[in-house]
Amino acid sequence: MRYDQAMNGRCAPYLLLLSLSPGILAAATLEKGIDEQAQLPYWELRDEGMSLRLVQRLPDQSRAFFLARGFNAEQVEEVAGRCVFQTVYRNLSHEAQPSPLHYRQRDWVIHHPQHEASILIREDWAVLWEARDAAPAARIAFQWALLPPEQTYEPGDYNWGMTMIDLPPGTHFDLEVRWEQFGATRSAFIEDLRCASDTPATP
């Protein structure tokens, strides 16, 4: 299914299908709109036990953020030339039926017809920054800026950080998110995610 492209303000939730490991189907919702704080498009997946919000980050925001943390101008282009989302992940199961939530970003699947893409996690970047001779303090700051690549949230827990995808700015793609909760491996699609274009950030 495709979703309405309008991004002006908050949009009504859409019904999705969640696939569970035993083959059972359950309902989830996807909401799209403009994040009030960032003033950029967001996509929020929500089901009975979790919510996952992805908010666009502009390449210029990445440049400024990582220049301020000790990377040089050439090094920050490694980030600015890729797709970046601010990510907020919550375990909502305390609201009804408490259950831990566990995820591994390596399990998430990016669907794009022209490019074999992946979530770039801390270990991937560690190799790249070693090759680029990035300063140790900058590498530590970078590591803590990312969403942890694997984590378990107890009911009511949440975390946030950047999710980086090996696609260029302006790309559209689908993301299959996978996690474990309520004794099952669960998955849901977020269709037509859009990477922010490389345009100057508004002051």
Side-chain angles (χ1 to χ4, degrees), residues 101-172:
L101 181 158
H102 181 256
Y103 74 90
R104 291 174 297 273
Q105 283 194 315
R106 287 290 194 204
D107 294 340
W108 297 4
V109 182
I110 295 163
H111 298 272
H112 183 267
Q114 278 83 46
H115 187 77
E116 184 81 12
S118 61
I119 303 288
L120 297 174
I121 65 173
R122 291 173 178 174
E123 290 78 4
D124 301 320
W125 286 102
V127 174
L128 187 146
W129 294 136
E130 179 71 25
R132 299 292 186 272
D133 197 28
R139 297 186 206 183
I140 292 171
F142 185 90
Q143 175 177 323
W144 288 106
L146 299 187
L147 188 75
E150 180 173 359
Q151 195 155 332
T152 298
Y153 299 148
E154 296 301 322
D157 285 354
Y158 65 95
N159 200 0
W160 62 87
M162 298 181 198
T163 294
M164 301 193 179
I165 295 167
D166 196 15
L167 289 170
T171 305
H172 292 233

